[in-house]
Amino acid sequence: MAERMLQFVSLPQEMPEKRDAAERREDFGEIYRAFAVDHAERQASRCSQCGVPFCSVHCPLGNNIPDWLKLTAENRLEEAYRLSSATNTFPEICGRICPQDRLCEGNCVIQKDFEAVTIGAVEKFITETAFEQGWVKPRLPSRERSQSIGVVGAGPAGLAAAEWLRALGYQVHVYDRHDRVGGLMVYGIPSFKLEKHVLARRHELLEAQGIVFHLSTPIGEGEGGLSFEALREKHDAVFLGTGVYRSREVAVPGSGLGGVVQALDFLTASNRRGYHETPGDDAVLHARGKHVVVIGGGDTAMDCVRTSIRQGAEKVTCLYRRDRANMPGSVQEVKNAEEEGVNFAWLAAPEAFLGDGTISGVRAHKMRLSLPDASGRQSVEAVPESSFVIEADLVIKALGFDPEDLPGDWKAPELAVTKWGTLKVTPGRFETSVPGVFAGGDIVRGASLVVWAIRDGREAAAEMHQFLSGTESMTSDHAAQAVAAE
């Protein structure tokens, strides 16, 4: 083992420099500056190279984190990138938006007595260096296959599946109802977390690999669309990675008032402005000068409150029914939001939206934690006679997403769904109830993380290769070996 490793005993944790809160409130640029090479090497050298790497164990992709940290510490950056990208189709994205505090860094073994290794920041550094140095190339197939595959959804699951299948030589076509590649990453995640040139750059690589994109092409019978039946006729196999886009509602009086909007509508409008496009209902979906109340406690809620700050809101309040310790969103995101001026009303839930045609306030009541529910999480109950009112000109409902009715929308009753509306698949095989149609990502597991969608896309691609080629079932690791052997 190189002497430069195990430096956690002498080197403190250092994150990349964070832009001042006052500065970052004024734009939508990413808030962290890039690591310099010497800083990245030092932080990578803090890795303990433990025998059981819990960082890798708790990474959905099983990334070889200790190995590429060691290579980074030794300034062997091209090798580090090759190892990182071997298990992660989009390391430049995961390094930015993965909740490392809940996954790899949250399980770093040194953090019991020392702060965790800054894995996400080093991953981003490795990949950006690779792009700058020209090490990132499209994975071109060594031979072409005649079979054609249709992928529905240009989000992380669909793109991961498409990239792997194209590397194996299949003719891959990706269909998406939106006009840009990325799914929720392009319109649902603000640029201060994921700048859009990162997605455009990856789009160019995938096109250079030979993947054909059909954008603004919804599946269904609508204008410009392609029916599910026609899709199946065009391709030898199909992968469904549509994600989940149906916003959850809050069942309180006043939900129909003007100025009460869904998080996805608000975030999409903001991201379209970043492309210099003016969305419909621009005035309604803009926070400038308003008292904004965001309902919810996940990462989407954090995206909404921080976007509102940047749009020039007069005041931004996040209303969440549990306390800080039970908040599902990233701890780091909450900290960033507080630095930028967001107010948090913990243990509070909406009782009614007030106003005469247009929202003027939110009547909420205080909550208290109670006994754990079936999931083991503490349930909440309202505190009697604890109502209070928060002034509001704009209310954003950020309560999560549910699946759309694909069998109904696509006139495909043969597509079986679960009681939650997600697509049913054969466990471990990703095949739906329709032969030759596979699915993965949020449309199967429910609203989840980008990194899980990438894993599903890769694993489903391996199963589709088995289905089309007649080979034995393989994991994506085995599929990688098949690509290398081609």
Side-chain angles (χ1 to χ4, degrees):
M1 184 182 301
E3 292 181 2
R4 67 185 68 219
M5 302 308 292
L6 284 80
Q7 297 300 307
F8 63 90
V9 295
S10 57
L11 289 176
Q13 182 195 70
E14 286 185 17
M15 291 292 294
E17 180 186 357
K18 187 190 294 187
R19 297 166 59 209
D20 182 75
E23 176 189 346
R24 63 188 197 242
R25 284 166 58 107
E26 301 300 319
D27 61 46
F28 281 82
E30 291 185 7
I31 73 170
Y32 289 102
R33 306 189 194 279
F35 259 147
V37 62
D38 56 337
H39 282 82
E41 290 177 11
R42 287 199 300 269
Q43 288 304 299
S45 75
R46 296 182 67 247
C47 176
S48 69
Q49 299 288 290
C50 53
V52 180
F54 287 99
C55 56
S56 295
V57 171
H58 289 273
C59 172
L61 291 169
N63 286 334
N64 302 309
I65 296 168
D67 294 335
W68 51 252
L69 286 173
K70 182 175 183 292
L71 290 168
T72 302
E74 296 171 351
N75 198 21
R76 297 161 62 185
L77 298 180
E78 185 171 2
E79 294 172 81
Y81 167 71
R82 299 296 174 207
L83 194 60
S84 170
S85 60
T87 54
N88 190 348
T89 314
F90 311 121
E92 74 277 20
I93 294 172
C94 291
R96 287 171 162 87
I97 64 173
C98 260
Q100 289 93 7
D101 58 322
R102 303 205 305 264
L103 298 173
C104 54
E105 293 179 17
N107 290 280
C108 179
V109 298
I110 70 171
Q111 72 167 343
K112 180 178 180 180
D113 299 301
F114 303 87
E115 292 183 293
V117 178
T118 52
I119 296 168
V122 174
E123 181 179 39
K124 175 184 173 183
F125 166 79
I126 293 169
T127 314
E128 289 307 309
T129 300
F131 274 104
E132 291 169 7
Q133 297 298 320
W135 301 333
V136 185
K137 305 289 186 184
R139 288 202 304 165
L140 300 176
S142 60
R143 70 182 180 95
E144 297 289 347
R145 301 174 190 266
S146 61
Q147 292 147 306
S148 174
I149 294 176
V151 174
V152 182
L159 295 180
E163 199 274 346
W164 274 85
L165 290 163
R166 180 59 194 143
L168 286 164
Y170 294 101
Q171 310 308 307
V172 181
H173 293 254
V174 177
Y175 302 85
D176 197 278
R177 58 184 162 186
H178 295 111
D179 54 351
R180 290 183 175 89
V181 166
L184 282 175
M185 295 187 297
V186 71
Y187 288 132
I189 296 178
S191 292
F192 54 78
K193 287 172 62 176
L194 178 61
E195 290 184 343
K196 303 314 172 189
H197 73 87
V198 175
L199 297 171
R201 182 177 61 187
R202 181 57 68 172
H203 179 193
E204 292 175 2
L205 272 171
L206 295 172
E207 284 191 320
Q209 191 183 12
I211 297 171
V212 179
F213 287 91
H214 305 268
L215 301 179
S216 301
T217 305
I219 302 304
E221 304 293 340
E223 182 179 352
L226 182 70
S227 72
F228 183 59
E229 181 181 0
L231 176 75
R232 292 185 62 205
E233 290 176 353
K234 284 171 66 73
H235 301 288
D236 296 290
V238 171
F239 176 78
L240 305 180
T242 57
V244 292
Y245 281 83
R246 185 162 59 88
S247 299
R248 292 175 185 161
E249 279 294 344
V250 52
V252 299
S255 289
L257 289 171
V260 179
V261 303
Q262 293 289 355
L264 187 55
D265 295 335
F266 175 73
L267 293 172
T268 298
S270 178
N271 280 307
R272 284 201 175 277
R273 291 188 201 99
Y275 287 112
H276 306 291
E277 300 171 0
T278 302
D281 296 327
D282 184 60
V284 174
L285 295 170
H286 204 294
R288 185 184 299 112
K290 296 178 181 177
H291 288 75
V292 179
V293 176
V294 176
I295 312 295
D299 288 336
T300 299
M302 295 305 97
D303 292 343
C304 290
V305 295
R306 298 180 66 202
T307 294
S308 298
I309 288 288
R310 284 159 175 77
Q311 290 184 355
E314 181 70 22
K315 183 179 181 181
V316 180
T317 302
C318 180
L319 195 68
Y320 181 56
R321 61 180 182 161
R322 289 186 167 91
D323 60 7
R324 179 192 291 265
N326 286 280
M327 199 170 192
S330 166
V331 173
Q332 191 62 45
E333 282 296 289
V334 175
K335 180 180 178 182
N336 289 334
E338 288 178 324
E339 290 173 353
E340 293 164 5
V342 174
N343 303 286
F344 284 86
W346 306 108
L347 289 167
E351 195 174 54
F353 299 138
L354 310 176
D356 184 9
T358 303
I359 188 73
S360 62
V362 176
R363 186 171 73 238
H365 46 227
K366 295 181 180 179
M367 309 293 288
R368 61 188 172 204
L369 296 174
S370 185
L371 297 174
D373 57 21
S375 69
R377 193 180 187 194
Q378 281 184 284
S379 57
V380 292
E381 59 185 19
V383 176
E385 300 181 2
S386 62
S387 295
F388 61 98
V389 174
I390 303 174
E391 180 182 358
D393 307 304
L394 174 63
V395 171
I396 304 171
K397 297 177 286 186
L399 300 165
F401 304 98
D402 288 322
E404 295 161 291
D405 178 16
L406 295 190
D409 295 344
W410 293 359
K411 295 181 173 57
E414 66 273 24
L415 268 177
V417 298
T418 69
K419 63 180 180 180
W420 300 282
T422 53
L423 291 180
K424 278 187 178 179
V425 298
T426 305
R429 299 301 296 266
F430 296 92
E431 190 168 17
T432 69
S433 57
V434 180
V437 178
F438 296 74
D442 289 2
I443 193 58
V444 171
R445 64 172 61 244
S448 187
L449 302 174
V450 165
V451 67
W452 281 109
I454 295 171
R455 172 176 169 166
D456 283 358
R458 291 171 66 125
E459 297 290 344
E463 293 299 325
M464 295 175 74
H465 176 56
Q466 184 271 333
F467 172 81
L468 291 169
S469 66
T471 59
E472 293 184 3
S473 181
M474 59 175 70
T475 66
S476 60
D477 289 339
H478 292 139
Q481 295 171 13
V483 171
E486 287 286 335

